[in-house]
């Protein structure tokens, strides 16, 4: 672009020439600023793409670092929680074992104390009984053994359980039959409202003279007389 400026051949002062030149330069600069725009860089140029790619890679790298740091933090937190839970579980289990042992020892001391309390010299009362049968010749002499448990222990849940186990064991003896053994015919544990628990056993009547009676009356008893042989074949 060429600008033509016409000057008249005069001999003005130097100051006027400098002022005129300055005005010309200013006018040209203003015109260039208003009418001439620098070419803009294409949006798809290599430099722009490289800049965008570098920025994106940097953002992705930072994001990966942040995610990795978060995973490590979560893993450490989970490990700490698991360790605390294990320690708490072990402490609770230890407390449970200690409490159970204390409870067991207390129950054992209470059972021993109740067992030593009010121990009678004679276990129960023996009654003679006759079965209800029309044929007198078919009847057998029977007896009833009644035992009362005056200890407060046998009113508790644990004491009732022991009496139930005792009743079950005696009930199993009802299936044992032999000529040299007295048969157990019935057994029952009752809990009266106004009295202590009672164990009642119905069995065949014992003979009038037993080996124990003979041994108590004799100072000496020969082996051949004392031996009764095996009860079972």
């Amino acid at each position: 672009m060429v600008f033509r400026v016409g000057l008249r051949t005069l001999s003005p002062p130097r100051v006027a020439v400098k002022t005129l030149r300055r005005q010309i330069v200013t006018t040209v600069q203003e015109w260039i600023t208003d009418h001439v725009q620098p070419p803009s860089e294409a949006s798809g140029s290599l430099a722009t793409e490289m800049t965008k790619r570098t920025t994106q890679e940097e953002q992705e790298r930072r994001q990966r670092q942040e995610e990795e740091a978060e995973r490590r933090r979560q893993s450490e937190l989970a490990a700490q929680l698991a360790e605390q839970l294990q320690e708490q579980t072990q402490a609770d289990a230890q407390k449970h074992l200690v409490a159970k042992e204390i409870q067991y020892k207390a129950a054992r001391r209470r059972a021993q104390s109740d067992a030593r309390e009010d121990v009678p010299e004679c276990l129960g009362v023996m009654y003679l009984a006759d079965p209800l049968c029309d044929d007198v010749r078919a009847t057998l002499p029977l007896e009833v053994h009644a035992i009362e448990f005056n200890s407060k222990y046998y009113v508790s849940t644990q004491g009732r359980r022991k009496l139930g186990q005792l009743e079950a064991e005696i009930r199993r003896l009802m299936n044992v039959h032999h000529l040299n053994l007295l048969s157990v015919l019935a057994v029952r544990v009752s809990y009266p409202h106004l009295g202590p628990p009672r164990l009642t056993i119905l069995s065949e009547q014992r003979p009038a003279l037993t080996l124990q009676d003979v041994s108590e009356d004799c100072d000496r008893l020969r082996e051949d007389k004392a031996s009764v042989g095996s009860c079972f074949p």
Side-chain angles (χ1 to χ4, degrees), residues 90-132:
Q90 293 177 354
D92 294 342
Q94 186 67 23
K95 291 180 180 179
H96 179 71
L97 290 177
V98 172
K100 190 174 182 180
E101 184 177 359
I102 294 175
Q103 184 179 4
Y104 171 76
K105 290 182 178 179
R108 186 174 181 180
R109 288 194 300 268
R110 185 170 58 253
Q112 292 175 352
S113 177
D114 292 339
R116 291 192 299 266
E117 181 183 2
D118 299 333
V119 178
E121 296 181 359
C122 180
L123 292 178
V125 181
M126 193 75 66
Y127 300 95
L128 298 179
D130 293 326
L132 296 177

Side-chain angles (χ1 to χ4, degrees), residues 38 44 47 57 106 114 125 144 183 200 217 224:
E57 290 178 353
D114 292 339
V125 181
V144 177
S183 298
T200 305
D217 294 338
D224 57 345

Side-chain angles (χ1 to χ4, degrees), residues 170-213:
I170 298 176
R171 195 175 298 277
R172 284 196 294 269
L173 294 177
M174 295 171 57
N175 299 323
V176 179
H177 301 283
H178 195 272
L179 294 176
N180 296 328
L181 294 177
L182 296 176
S183 298
V184 178
L185 304 177
V187 60
R188 180 185 178 186
V189 176
S190 58
Y191 299 91
H193 294 287
L194 300 178
R198 178 182 300 173
L199 173 65
T200 305
I201 303 173
L202 176 64
S203 63
E204 294 180 349
Q205 186 176 347
R206 293 178 298 175
L209 186 63
T210 63
L211 181 60
Q212 182 178 359
D213 298 331

